[in-house]
Amino acid sequence: MRLQEIEGNPLSSDDIAMFEMFEREAWPHDRRLAHILAAVAPLPAE
């Protein structure tokens, strides 16, 4: 999170809550990645 702040792109409160949930519920990395990718809107084709 600190690196995001340094880069001028701090995490939102929703992002922080999501990562805290991952830790609290001990989600494996592949499940975390799938969750994040499912939430990202695809970029429009050029």
Side-chain angles (χ1 to χ4, degrees), residues 11-27:
L11 297 176
S12 70
S13 58
D14 289 340
D15 291 337
I16 293 169
M18 177 185 65
F19 286 112
E20 288 174 346
M21 177 197 66
F22 291 163
E23 291 298 318
R24 184 178 59 252
E25 297 182 11
W27 283 28

Side-chain angles (χ1 to χ4, degrees), residues 21-36:
M21 177 197 66
F22 291 163
E23 291 298 318
R24 184 178 59 252
E25 297 182 11
W27 283 28
H29 291 286
D30 57 334
R31 185 175 177 198
R32 295 175 190 207
L33 179 59
H35 178 83
I36 293 168

